[in-house]
């Protein structure tokens, strides 16, 4: 199914497109580039990925290591094995994964470096696409697994944890919509999300429902583009739901919102790719993606193996 490939390649595409302008506001992006529509030179080279994709790969590997379940110890081990600080990890995640790589049990590493109350950032949401694929046949198990993997990097604040769950739900919903040959219906998705909290997400989802025709500048202001999951997950959703039939425009819109551009792009790419499929992603982007031991070809292989795994469920 091209949708499984699309979810993982979409993550990689949005990540790579957004990396060179990470941290810039949408006004700065406009002043420097007008609109970012092409892969730009980046710190590791044009078309390279960040920690978003690297952790997505590790999560997919771990799910394939333990078919039918999420083993937090195996996920942490994969994160540690793949950890490359040059990919741009956040401060706490870098400390946690450095300790795991050096042999510390993940619970000890997380406890030593977790922020009080848990992180509300988007680290658990940006990498969650493989969860939606591995548990495609069981939505409840998918939500549990999305929340469980958030704990490994200390994303235990309700905003960080639920952000991962919402992103997984969105990816699965996108694939289901394509499977049933129905259009991406924003009203249907937002109404059926059944979101009870945190209020930051309730407010953001409510704004999205009423403002699908808002300008990107308005969305950036009202939803926010920071690494806080309630901002970036919501902004990525808005980008997709406001361009439901055009994955290229959705990903461009997500990246050009500014702020945490690589992650907003990665999450929008995952949802748009899940609905439209890998073949709908612009070839000029996919052809620019890095190759190597864990490059584009490997990501496609992981998606195909997750499809086979989900078929056995």
């Amino acid at each position: 199914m091209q949708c499984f490939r699309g979810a993982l390649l979409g993550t990689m595409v949005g990540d790579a497109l957004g990396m060179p302008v990470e941290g810039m506001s949408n006004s700065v992006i406009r002043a420097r580039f007008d609109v970012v529509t092409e892969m730009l030179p980046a710190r590791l080279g044009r078309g390279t990925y960040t920690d978003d994709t690297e952790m997505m790969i590790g999560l997919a590997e771990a799910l394939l290591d333990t078919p039918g379940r999420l083993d937090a110890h195996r996920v942490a081990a994969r994160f540690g094995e793949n950890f490359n600080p040059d990919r741009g990890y956040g401060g706490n995640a870098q400390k946690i994964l450095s300790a795991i790589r050096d042999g510390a049990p993940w619970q000890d590493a997380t406890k030593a470096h977790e922020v009080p109350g848990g992180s509300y950032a988007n680290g658990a949401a940006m990498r969650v696409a493989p969860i939606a694929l591995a548990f495609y046949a069981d939505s409840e198990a998918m939500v549990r697994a999305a929340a469980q993997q958030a704990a490994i990097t200390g994303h235990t604040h309700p905003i960080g944890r639920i952000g991962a769950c919402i992103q997984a739900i969105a990816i699965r919903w996108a694939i289901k919509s394509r499977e049933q040959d129905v259009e991406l219906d924003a009203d249907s998705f937002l109404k059926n999300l059944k979101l009870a909290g945190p209020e930051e997400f309730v407010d953001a989802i409510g704004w999205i429902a009423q403002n699908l025709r808002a300008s990107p500048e308005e969305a950036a202001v009202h939803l926010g583009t920071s690494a806080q999951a309630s901002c970036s997950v919501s902004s990525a959703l808005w980008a997709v739901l406001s361009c439901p039939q055009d994955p290229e425009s959705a990903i461009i819109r997500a990246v050009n919102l500014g702020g945490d551009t690589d992650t907003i792009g990665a999450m929008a790419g995952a949802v748009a790719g899940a609905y439209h499929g890998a073949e709908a992603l612009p070839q000029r982007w996919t052809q620019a993606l890095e190759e190597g031991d864990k490059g584009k070809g490997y990501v496609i292989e992981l998606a195909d193996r997750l499809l086979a795994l989900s078929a056995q469920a």
Side-chain angles (χ1 to χ4, degrees):
M1 185 189 292
Q2 284 291 321
C3 293
F4 274 53
R5 288 187 177 188
L8 299 196
L9 276 183
T11 300
M12 194 178 185
V13 160
D15 182 16
L17 191 70
M19 186 225 289
V21 293
E22 181 182 8
M24 298 182 190
S25 67
N26 65 348
S27 61
V28 169
I29 292 172
R30 285 201 312 275
R32 294 190 184 182
F33 306 101
D34 189 17
V35 179
V36 175
T37 61
E38 308 298 334
M39 295 287 180
L40 299 172
R43 61 177 178 267
L44 296 180
R46 179 173 176 268
T48 56
Y49 58 75
T50 76
D51 57 320
D52 300 44
T53 299
E54 186 161 85
M55 297 194 84
M56 179 269 285
I57 289 171
L59 184 54
E61 291 171 330
L63 289 165
L64 291 164
D65 290 338
T66 58
R69 62 190 179 91
L70 184 137
D71 183 327
H73 300 288
R74 190 67 200 131
V75 174
R78 284 294 194 175
F79 285 168
E81 291 166 9
N82 292 342
F83 175 58
N84 176 0
D86 292 338
R87 295 289 184 184
Y89 287 80
N92 283 339
Q94 184 158 321
K95 292 174 184 176
I96 291 168
L97 296 181
S98 292
I100 291 171
R101 181 190 59 188
D102 294 340
W106 73 264
Q107 298 97 325
D108 294 345
T110 300
K111 185 177 180 180
H113 301 292
E114 186 176 22
V115 298
S119 174
Y120 52 65
N122 52 29
M126 69 190 189
R127 65 188 184 229
V128 81
I131 295 280
L133 308 187
F135 295 95
Y136 181 66
D138 187 339
S139 61
E140 292 184 1
M142 179 194 72
V143 171
R144 289 195 299 270
Q148 185 183 0
Q149 60 88 30
I152 297 167
T153 45
H155 291 89
T156 52
H157 189 284
I159 289 176
R161 186 179 69 252
I162 292 175
C165 297
I166 291 173
Q167 177 67 6
I169 290 167
I171 294 168
R172 182 178 182 273
W173 164 77
I175 298 174
K176 281 285 185 185
S177 296
R178 172 55 66 191
E179 186 179 60
Q180 296 167 4
D181 196 27
V182 297
E183 294 185 359
L184 286 183
D185 182 349
D187 287 340
S188 174
F189 170 67
L190 296 171
K191 288 176 181 176
N192 286 285
L193 188 56
K194 298 178 181 178
L195 190 62
E199 65 179 17
E200 290 87 348
F201 273 117
V202 174
D203 292 344
I205 296 301
W207 189 89
I208 292 171
Q210 299 298 319
N211 292 279
L212 292 173
R213 295 187 179 182
S215 70
E217 292 76 18
E218 290 173 313
V221 169
H222 285 277
L223 298 174
T225 59
S226 73
Q228 181 170 316
S230 55
C231 297
S232 47
V233 171
S234 302
S235 288
L237 279 175
W238 176 83
V240 175
L241 295 175
S242 64
C243 298
Q245 297 307 316
D246 187 346
E248 179 178 355
S249 294
I251 296 169
I252 288 173
R253 176 164 283 196
V255 165
N256 285 275
L257 289 173
D260 197 4
T261 52
D262 58 324
T263 301
I264 297 172
M267 293 189 294
V271 179
Y275 179 75
H276 293 282
E279 292 180 343
L281 299 171
Q283 286 190 1
R284 70 182 191 280
W285 291 349
T286 57
Q287 289 174 352
L289 294 175
E290 71 172 272
E291 277 291 6
D293 291 342
K294 294 193 177 182
K296 178 180 66 177
Y298 185 66
V299 168
I300 292 172
E301 177 189 335
L302 291 173
D304 290 348
R305 292 174 63 195
L306 287 167
L307 176 60
L309 177 64
S310 73
Q312 299 169 8

